[in-house]
Amino acid sequence: KIVITSRRTMALRTLLTRPMLLLATIAAAASLHADPFTRTAFHAASYVGAARRHSSPFTRARAGMTMDAHVKRKPTPARIKNTDNFRQAAALSSRFAKERVRNSPRIAVIGGGLSGLACAKYLADAGFEPTVYEARNVLGGKVSAWQDEDGDWIETGLHIFFGAYPNMMNLFEELGIEDRLQWKDHRMTFAMREKPGEFTSFEFLPGVPAPFNMALAILTNTEMLTLAEKVQMVPALLPMLTEGQSFIDRQDELSVLQFMQKYGMPERVNREIFIAMGKAL
């Protein structure tokens, strides 16, 4: 089993007084065929999804999501699970259940964020009895969500998960909560500095593999980048297309800024695209 403790005595009292947390916990527990308290820690990745689905219509609208949008959820792209990375992640996690220890040794896990909760989950799979120590009265760390005094749900975490996160996707599948992810069209939208209040998007066409989809998205955008700026990006992007991963591996010691400067990419691309993208993610 997993025990969760806090300086603010969160644990069971919090579960009973926060229906959204309880709903998420029960959903995760049901998927794992375990009692809710034992699997308390497993709800973290689903907490935001449960909060959004069960909050008020006003809160859901502010989050850009409605109940109807959840019902019409796009299916998980099949290619995500048909990759070596995903298969390796699934094989590694399955080893915990196959190589269980005896006598249920007790282990302390410091922090009830996503890493701590995932750690406790896999320790439990391996036969350990972890205790998660969390200073706050909210689980989830950087992906936590809670209800404020006005009744609105506050979300502080990552706003996006990529299909290239095999460990996370595998964890969602194991918990039976991957349906909480809302798959969206592949698009990056930016505010345009020269046109306050206006936005432009880089559209990544479905069916076009990376990095060709990125190159095509850049070429087809006519509002943010000039033709001259696009030409300046060619020395950096072309080797990605022609050499693939081997070229990317050779740049491993460079920061993004050093990479851009090395290949003469425009400073505006760094300032208005990459920095903005880095802050958003």
Side-chain angles (χ1 to χ4, degrees):
K1 68 177 181 180
I2 293 177
V3 178
I4 297 182
T5 186
S6 167
R7 290 188 311 211
R8 302 177 185 177
T9 62
M10 186 265 298
L12 188 57
R13 185 178 68 181
T14 303
L15 279 178
L16 296 176
T17 57
R18 299 190 180 213
M20 296 311 103
L21 180 55
L22 183 60
L23 283 170
T25 302
I26 292 174
S31 70
L32 291 166
H33 308 290
D35 64 278
F37 185 72
T38 299
R39 297 300 188 178
T40 299
F42 297 176
H43 87 285
S46 66
Y47 188 9
V48 173
R52 282 179 173 169
R53 288 196 295 175
H54 297 284
S55 55
S56 67
F58 176 72
T59 306
R60 289 197 302 271
R62 289 199 312 174
M65 173 182 173
T66 64
M67 186 65 74
D68 184 59
H70 174 76
V71 172
K72 297 179 180 179
R73 172 187 177 272
K74 292 184 178 181
T76 300
R79 65 181 181 277
I80 288 177
K81 298 180 181 180
N82 189 30
T83 64
D84 289 339
N85 286 342
F86 186 89
R87 286 188 285 268
Q88 290 170 4
L92 287 172
S93 66
S94 67
R95 289 179 55 187
F96 290 107
K98 295 176 181 177
E99 302 175 7
R100 291 177 60 85
V101 299
R102 298 180 179 179
N103 303 322
S104 299
R106 299 176 64 186
I107 291 184
V109 178
I110 309 302
L114 190 55
S115 296
L117 296 176
C119 178
K121 185 267 187 197
Y122 288 116
L123 284 169
D125 286 351
F128 294 87
E129 185 176 328
T131 297
V132 178
Y133 292 89
E134 169 56 50
R136 303 193 305 163
N137 63 347
V138 177
L139 290 173
K142 289 187 177 181
V143 294
S144 61
W146 66 88
Q147 202 168 16
D148 64 14
E149 295 178 354
D150 296 325
D152 293 322
W153 283 94
I154 308 301
E155 300 176 17
T156 61
L158 293 170
H159 69 291
I160 187 170
F161 288 104
F162 290 104
Y165 295 170
N167 294 304
M168 181 63 66
M169 296 300 171
N170 180 67
L171 179 62
F172 286 172
E173 182 180 75
E174 291 180 350
L175 295 177
I177 56 174
E178 61 180 333
D179 64 316
R180 308 281 177 92
L181 289 177
Q182 303 296 313
W183 293 99
K184 303 296 183 181
D185 293 331
H186 194 172
R187 174 185 300 116
M188 293 194 302
T189 301
F190 295 86
M192 292 188 289
R193 191 172 183 175
E194 294 83 1
K195 300 178 180 179
E198 295 187 27
F199 301 85
T200 185
S201 295
F202 291 86
E203 304 284 347
F204 290 69
L205 297 180
V208 179
F212 298 99
N213 56 355
M214 179 180 68
L216 192 59
I218 292 172
L219 290 173
T220 54
N221 180 283
T222 59
E223 297 175 304
M224 192 167 189
L225 298 176
T226 66
L227 178 60
E229 288 170 328
K230 292 177 182 179
V231 171
Q232 282 183 268
M233 297 178 69
V234 170
L237 296 181
L238 187 60
M240 294 186 191
L241 301 178
T242 58
E243 300 180 42
Q245 190 62 41
S246 62
F247 170 78
I248 296 172
D249 290 342
R250 293 198 300 273
Q251 319 306 314
D252 200 43
E253 300 301 320
L254 301 177
S255 68
V256 172
L257 180 58
Q258 290 171 333
F259 171 80
M260 296 178 68
Q261 291 173 338
K262 177 180 178 180
Y263 290 95
M265 295 180 72
E267 169 58 26
R268 193 166 76 93
V269 173
N270 173 58
R271 183 178 64 250
E272 297 184 24
I273 295 181
F274 281 96
I275 290 179
M277 186 167 57
K279 289 180 177 179
L281 298 179

